[in-house]
Amino acid sequence: MSEILSSVDQRTKLVGENRLELLLFRLGTRHTYAINVFKVKEVITVPKMNMMPGTHGNLRGVTIYRGLTIPVIDLRQAIRMRPVSTENGNTDRNVIITEYNRSVQGFMIGDVVSIVNTSWEDIQPPPKSIGKTNFLTAITQIDIQGKRELVEIIDVEKVLAEIIEYDVSISEEILDHEVVDHLKGRKVLIVDDSSTARKQIRDTLEQLGLHILECHNGAEALMLLKEWADLGKTVTDEILMMFTDAEMPEMDGYRLTAEVRADPRMADLFIALNTSLSGSFNQAMVEKVGCNRFISKFQPDMLVDVVQQRMRELL
């Protein structure tokens, strides 16, 4: 299965061009789901696993992958799908090995459909009418075997947050209280399509007395920033800085940053890229599009360090 994935070098060329590749798969039904290929290390057949006492109910077990002991998550169960009939055999056929937030894990799935190259402009947020309890970060329509099908993109960060309890506490030694005093009442803009990721950042930064503004994608954020500029407001007076995810529907964080830098009314806005994608690649992209800092998710102390850095520049 590993040959289904193209080389990292080839895939990274898409990022920064508002494009992405999706790995399409099924979970025992006709519905098609997807995750971003860039976060996929490999697709393997279901390996031998051991169950460990006291583990989360969504874990199928642990396995050895290239010398690492990794958890394998039942993706179908994790997104709360109904059980399916196994009359025609086991629906668990493959495991997607992924790297998110500096950790490696496997997701149990059914059949792999294909890999498709598409644009973030064609990726849309899920309808608000489906509620907040869903595990989707976006939806799109893709031609599969000559048929136009709806594809649901999984919010992997939300799936992982249900298993891993993320700590939003801030280390006392990281705090510069002289600087923190100046942060109270300041506003920070968070741009991320994952409600889980936004909550993690919000819960961290509100401890500093910051007011948090939220946008769900790059297009929404750019519209807000331009609205302020069109009204004659100074963007850097409205917000202290902006944290943006890399991958988002309609407009990704790289394109958002490039658009901000190209507009003299907001070009000096402090922008931190906060993403679960690999660090070495993102450092190169940060320099290319002009972000001020790069942070791998989820590191509360790093978030605080970046905010304090920005505040020091203004004192």
Side-chain angles (χ1 to χ4, degrees):
M1 270 297 173
S2 60
E3 67 270 13
I4 199 170
L5 302 177
S6 54
S7 71
V8 170
D9 286 343
Q10 184 177 343
R11 282 182 277 138
T12 55
K13 290 174 184 175
L14 297 175
V15 186
E17 303 299 327
N18 214 41
R19 299 194 65 79
L20 77 158
E21 280 185 323
L22 293 173
L23 174 66
L24 308 184
F25 57 90
R26 295 197 169 99
L27 294 172
T29 67
R30 293 181 180 179
H31 294 284
T32 305
Y33 298 89
I35 65 172
N36 193 328
V37 168
F38 198 81
K39 293 176 180 175
V40 178
K41 296 175 74 68
E42 198 170 350
V43 180
I44 61 175
T45 55
V46 175
K48 180 181 177 182
M49 290 178 285
N50 292 328
M51 195 62 203
M52 302 183 73
T55 54
H56 193 279
N58 290 340
L59 291 181
R60 290 290 290 270
V62 296
T63 191
I64 304 297
Y65 169 75
R66 301 191 183 278
L68 291 175
T69 302
I70 66 167
V72 177
I73 297 161
D74 185 331
L75 187 55
R76 180 183 183 83
Q77 182 173 308
I79 64 174
R80 300 174 191 167
M81 287 180 66
R82 293 178 183 174
V84 293
S85 170
T86 56
E87 290 177 6
N88 298 323
N90 192 348
T91 58
D92 300 330
R93 301 181 186 278
N94 300 290
V95 171
I96 304 175
I97 307 295
T98 67
E99 184 170 1
Y100 279 83
N101 301 350
R102 296 162 290 116
S103 68
V104 178
Q105 53 281 311
F107 290 99
M108 187 87 74
I109 63 164
D111 293 319
V112 171
V113 177
S114 65
I115 285 179
V116 296
N117 183 327
T118 186
S119 168
W120 281 113
E121 293 173 356
D122 297 326
I123 309 294
Q124 300 297 319
K128 292 181 180 178
S129 56
I130 66 174
K132 296 182 179 179
T133 57
N134 72 87
F135 285 83
L136 303 182
T137 189
I139 59 173
T140 189
Q141 290 190 34
I142 290 173
D143 289 322
I144 302 174
Q145 297 175 342
K147 269 184 70 176
R148 195 74 171 163
E149 289 190 28
L150 183 72
V151 174
E152 302 171 42
I153 303 173
I154 302 289
D155 186 346
V156 177
E157 290 172 345
K158 184 172 181 177
V159 171
L160 293 176
E162 296 232 330
I163 299 170
I164 305 163
E165 189 173 341
Y166 288 98
D167 185 4
V168 298
S169 60
I170 303 166
S171 304
E172 180 61 32
E173 57 267 23
I174 200 75
L175 292 173
D176 183 336
H177 291 283
E178 225 175 273
V179 173
V180 169
D181 286 342
H182 290 278
L183 292 174
K184 293 182 179 10
R186 293 268 188 166
K187 295 176 183 176
V188 168
L189 177 60
I190 300 170
V191 189
D192 202 304
D193 58 322
S194 170
S195 59
T196 298
R198 293 197 307 273
K199 184 179 187 305
Q200 289 168 347
I201 302 174
R202 183 175 66 246
D203 289 351
T204 301
L205 298 185
E206 283 182 343
Q207 297 175 64
L208 305 177
L210 289 161
H211 293 306
I212 307 302
L213 305 177
E214 298 181 26
C215 287
H216 300 77
N217 58 62
E220 188 179 308
L222 186 62
M223 187 182 302
L224 175 63
L225 296 173
K226 286 191 171 184
E227 183 181 307
W228 287 338
D230 291 343
L231 291 172
K233 296 180 179 180
T234 302
V235 169
T236 51
D237 288 344
E238 295 298 312
I239 53 174
L240 177 66
M241 61 174 297
M242 176 171 72
F243 286 98
T244 180
D245 188 18
E247 309 164 272
M248 295 176 288
E250 298 185 58
M251 180 184 290
D252 65 24
Y254 304 111
R255 175 66 65 84
L256 169 61
T257 302
E259 293 286 343
V260 169
R261 294 292 181 243
D263 190 328
R265 301 174 300 172
M266 59 183 83
D268 56 350
L269 178 63
F270 190 100
I271 303 173
L273 188 72
N274 183 47
T275 175
S276 54
L277 290 174
S278 64
S280 56
F281 167 70
N282 269 294
Q283 195 57 52
M285 287 304 302
V286 162
E287 294 170 8
K288 178 179 176 181
V289 301
C291 288
N292 298 93
R293 283 284 296 272
F294 161 71
I295 313 167
S296 294
K297 293 179 179 176
F298 167 67
Q299 302 180 81
D301 283 356
M302 285 293 292
L303 292 172
V304 172
D305 180 62
V306 170
V307 171
Q308 290 183 151
Q309 173 198 338
R310 174 56 177 158
M311 192 69 248
R312 285 191 195 98
E313 294 175 359
L314 300 178
L315 294 178

